[in-house]
Amino acid sequence: MSRYILERLEKFEPYTVGEQPKDNGYIKLNTNESPYFPSEYAVGAINETLLKNLRLYSDPESSELVKAIADYYEIKTQNVMTANGSDEILAFAFAGLCGEGAVFPDVTYGFYKVFAGLFGVAFDEIPLKEDFTVNTDDYLNVGKTVVLANPNAQTGIYLPLTEIEKIVKSNPSSPVVIDEAYVDFGGESAVSLIGKYGNLAVVRTFSKSRSLAGARVGFVMADERLIDDFKRVKYSFNPYNVNGVSALLAANAIKDEQYFKSCTDKIISTRGRLISELELLGFKTLPSLANFVLAEHSETDGKTLYEKLKERGILVRRFGGGRINNFVRITVGSEEQIDALLKAVKEIIK
Ligand SMILES: *Cc1c(COP(=O)(O)O)cnc(C)c1O
């Protein structure tokens, strides 16, 4: 650190990303990427003309992508804004929509706390219940911006839409940001509520269910006025935030419903098998509707399990220090990757 850094950022802990090893030999089950390639239809549209057009700035509105998203969710284009990954959307929310501070669970996506620190937003972390579920009552009439991942990050637990609606309805003076990075793996989206509530922002990504983590495309769906607020922040920061290649990949990926469905169906089915096999081996797992499973074994601590899996060429994620210290988070990979994981786990715990 130099002496030039802001004082506020001196003690601040940046987000720790999951390991991205240079060596491709690992079975990577640590950052919730898709084991499947992006849609062929999407990749096939990348041609030389498109690449040559990188000479020009991209369309700041990503109009074609916004139109594809609006068509898909049957909303208006005025209800959509795109960004460089959903992390950027979340950053915009913390930068511009948390005037009264923010609340989020104690166990959730680690970036919320980081963004709060970066933008100087006061925040409360509300403990999840003993069973790691959200207590809806904790989020009623809070008078601060509510940020909830649904399904929740790290736990995979989904909060029913009726509960989300209670939270949105009881906080008319504060934005409620629902981060649906994992909703395509079995949950029901809150996008159906955006016409009814002006304070709801639904945040989505192409990184997980649409196999485009490296393309960096995310978006937000909300009432037109709230979208205008997001645009005020975006146009004050980086107007050309989505490049043309990524925008076309994403627009075509969302049109390839059949491929999307085949990938999410496979992941949902593999997740079921992973959970039941882990439970047969004596693991406790949380009921996940995401593309990962949080699991703990009573006789092997999380750190040992993580390390021994790594020795065997398998990367999982561990969040040390807090309430999920003893758990490992396993991304639902392909059937073959999960076979390899289960084989290694059996060797480790016997
Ligand atoms: C992966 C993830 C994101 C980030 O997605 P990007 O679009 O790749 O930036 C956001 N929120 C949660 C809860 C995630 O797990």
Side-chain angles (χ1 to χ4, degrees):
M1 207 160 5
S2 82
R3 63 199 162 97
Y4 309 114
I5 188 88
L6 287 181
E7 210 174 296
R8 175 155 59 75
L9 300 185
E10 259 172 3
K11 292 168 294 268
F12 164 85
E13 278 287 331
Y15 183 70
T16 315
V17 299
E19 291 162 276
Q20 298 289 359
K22 296 279 173 292
D23 151 14
N24 279 330
Y26 282 105
I27 294 179
K28 238 182 132 283
L29 303 176
N30 67 332
T31 49
N32 301 342
E33 291 141 327
S34 175
Y36 305 113
F37 290 120
S39 144
E40 286 276 348
Y41 174 68
V43 174
I46 304 302
N47 59 28
E48 201 174 326
T49 312
L50 188 72
L51 296 175
K52 285 184 172 162
N53 278 343
L54 289 172
R55 177 177 69 83
L56 304 170
Y57 283 111
S58 59
D59 168 12
E61 293 285 321
S62 308
S63 312
E64 290 198 9
L65 172 56
V66 164
K67 168 120 186 17
I69 293 169
D71 287 349
Y72 186 81
Y73 291 102
E74 300 178 332
I75 54 178
K76 298 203 194 102
T77 54
Q78 296 93 301
N79 298 120
V80 182
M81 189 192 86
T82 54
N84 196 278
S86 59
D87 285 338
E88 194 179 53
I89 298 282
L90 294 165
F92 293 163
F94 277 90
L97 291 165
C98 292
E100 307 301 321
V103 296
F104 42 82
D106 62 338
V107 179
T108 190
Y109 188 37
F111 234 132
Y112 303 153
K113 200 174 169 171
V114 173
F115 285 138
L118 178 63
F119 296 113
V121 170
F123 63 94
D124 297 322
E125 290 175 282
I126 301 180
L128 294 175
K129 289 195 269 189
E130 200 64 39
D131 64 357
F132 295 102
T133 57
V134 167
N135 182 17
T136 304
D137 290 348
D138 292 342
Y139 295 87
L140 302 181
N141 312 300
V142 287
K144 295 172 187 177
T145 301
V146 175
V147 185
L148 284 173
N150 196 33
N152 196 10
Q154 317 337 348
T155 67
I157 296 173
Y158 174 75
L159 186 65
L161 198 53
T162 47
E163 301 300 293
I164 296 286
E165 183 164 8
K166 282 186 207 161
I167 294 169
V168 175
K169 195 172 178 180
S170 81
N171 288 289
S173 330
S174 317
V176 176
V177 177
I178 305 296
D179 178 354
E180 294 189 334
Y182 300 108
V183 83
D184 290 332
F185 302 105
E188 195 185 343
S189 174
V191 64
S192 58
L193 302 175
I194 64 167
K196 210 165 152 192
Y197 301 101
N199 60 328
L200 171 65
V202 177
V203 180
R204 303 290 291 258
T205 178
F206 282 84
S207 296
K208 314 279 166 54
S209 59
R210 296 190 187 271
S211 309
L212 285 170
R216 311 304 305 127
V217 186
F219 58 100
V220 56
M221 298 181 284
D223 181 87
E224 195 175 334
R225 283 157 293 190
L226 198 48
I227 291 294
D228 286 344
D229 297 342
F230 274 98
K231 286 189 181 174
R232 281 182 83 83
V233 184
K234 161 180 151 139
Y235 280 94
S236 309
F237 179 74
N238 183 11
Y240 309 107
N241 55 348
V242 181
N243 72 74
V245 177
S246 293
L248 184 68
L249 281 169
N252 283 353
I254 209 165
K255 290 174 191 159
D256 195 350
E257 180 68 9
Q258 202 185 341
Y259 182 71
F260 164 73
K261 196 74 181 55
S262 75
C263 293
T264 51
D265 284 351
K266 277 191 278 190
I267 288 167
I268 291 166
S269 132
T270 309
R271 177 181 69 205
R273 182 168 79 91
L274 172 63
I275 291 176
S276 51
E277 301 231 11
L278 285 172
E279 299 214 325
L280 283 176
L281 295 169
F283 278 85
K284 176 191 162 185
T285 62
L286 299 190
S288 170
L289 277 196
N291 67 339
F292 59 85
V293 174
L294 201 65
E296 135 182 272
H297 196 270
S298 56
E299 281 144 49
T300 316
D301 71 272
K303 186 161 182 287
T304 309
L305 192 57
Y306 161 83
E307 283 166 357
K308 294 203 163 166
L309 282 170
K310 191 170 178 183
E311 281 166 23
R312 288 167 172 77
I314 300 172
L315 283 180
V316 296
R317 189 108 193 249
R318 192 179 152 257
F319 300 89
R323 283 170 76 187
I324 53 171
N325 184 44
N326 207 37
F327 285 82
V328 292
R329 191 191 70 186
I330 305 163
T331 301
V332 180
S334 65
E335 286 287 318
E336 299 72 35
Q337 289 175 319
I338 293 304
D339 285 340
L341 169 98
L342 289 166
K343 181 166 171 280
V345 165
K346 280 177 201 157
E347 287 167 22
I348 295 166
I349 62 171
K350 86 162 172 249

